[in-house]
Amino acid sequence: MDNVCNVTTGEVRMSYAHLFKPYVAMPGQEEKYSVTVLVPKTDMDTMGRINAAIEAAKQRGISEKWSGQCPPILPTPVYDGDGVRPSDGMAFGPECKGHWVFTASAKADYPPEIVDRTGNPIINQSEVYSGMYGRVNVTFYPYVFGGKKGIGCGLGPVQKLRDGEALSGGHVSAAQAFGAPQPQSVQQGYPQPQVYAQPQAAGVNPITGLPY
């Protein structure tokens, strides 16, 4: 059953990436590694496998978690990026348009492997940021927590495929922040105008509506 609940996506865009250090949105919550995954609606293969994995997790919940019955209203982790957030009814961010959106997470004891196109571990953490493109391995599972039942999404290995425009809270290079380096002859003798990085807006989890 675990295999059918597991999916490796096609190319997706990643947002709110907390992949090297566990993160907590609010004090008192459990720190976790997490990433919000944006699946293009044109990628019907990936979404077909995700829907099949969610259905398999549902059947597992009926047999193992929910006393043989499926709840009449079962929360699942995948949302329509062209719709509104379930937490506050506000529209998802513009980067979510044309995508299916879900967040996958892993406990602090289980950091995800992060690799490049060739499968080698990424050591430089600045190469991994919100806005990049890659593939993500996830596992859907049933849960019962605080009397609530639903389907959750666990985070597995992540592969970066290519760079993308950094989203709010993502990595910004020195060149992006301060401008391209000037030749030494230009730097000397004349004061250069200062270029400051634009302040980044506080990130808001598109699923929960809570600030990061």
Side-chain angles (χ1 to χ4, degrees), residues 44-60:
M44 293 180 287
D45 174 71
T46 292
M47 276 311 302
R49 291 183 288 116
I50 286 175
N51 289 333
I54 290 175
E55 181 59 33
K58 184 188 303 183
Q59 296 305 316
R60 179 180 170 187

Side-chain angles (χ1 to χ4, degrees), residues 54 75-76 103-104 110 116 178 185 197 209:
I54 290 175
T76 61
T103 295
Y110 298 95
D116 61 18
F178 307 116
S185 59

Side-chain angles (χ1 to χ4, degrees), residues 27-168:
Q29 293 182 340
E30 180 182 4
E31 288 189 343
K32 292 184 178 182
Y33 299 95
S34 63
V35 63
T36 295
V37 180
L38 311 181
V39 181
K41 289 186 176 180
T42 53
D43 187 355
M44 293 180 287
D45 174 71
T46 292
M47 276 311 302
R49 291 183 288 116
I50 286 175
N51 289 333
I54 290 175
E55 181 59 33
K58 184 188 303 183
Q59 296 305 316
R60 179 180 170 187
I62 292 172
S63 62
E64 300 178 12
K65 295 279 188 180
W66 306 328
S67 303
Q69 294 184 336
C70 182
I73 300 177
L74 184 67
T76 61
V78 180
Y79 299 94
D80 185 347
D82 292 309
V84 297
R85 297 192 302 244
S87 57
D88 57 10
M90 300 295 290
F92 283 96
E95 72 277 6
C96 298
K97 303 303 180 185
H99 295 78
W100 297 104
V101 183
F102 65 90
T103 295
S105 62
K107 291 182 178 294
D109 295 338
Y110 298 95
E113 293 182 76
I114 315 296
V115 299
D116 61 18
R117 291 183 63 92
T118 61
N120 292 312
I122 294 179
I123 306 302
N124 185 351
Q125 296 186 17
S126 67
E127 295 180 11
V128 176
Y129 55 92
S130 299
M132 72 177 190
Y133 292 85
R135 299 195 300 165
V136 183
N137 180 269
V138 295
T139 300
F140 295 91
Y141 60 89
Y143 67 82
V144 179
F145 182 77
K148 298 181 180 180
K149 303 173 183 178
I151 302 296
C153 185
L155 176 63
V158 174
Q159 181 183 40
K160 178 183 177 180
L161 296 178
R162 61 186 177 95
D163 288 307
E165 182 181 356
L167 299 172
S168 177

Side-chain angles (χ1 to χ4, degrees), residues 182-205:
Q182 297 293 321
Q184 190 70 19
S185 59
V186 175
Q187 292 178 359
Q188 296 178 348
Y190 298 95
Q192 300 298 315
Q194 292 180 305
V195 180
Y196 296 97
Q198 294 295 322
Q200 292 187 0
V204 177
N205 188 312

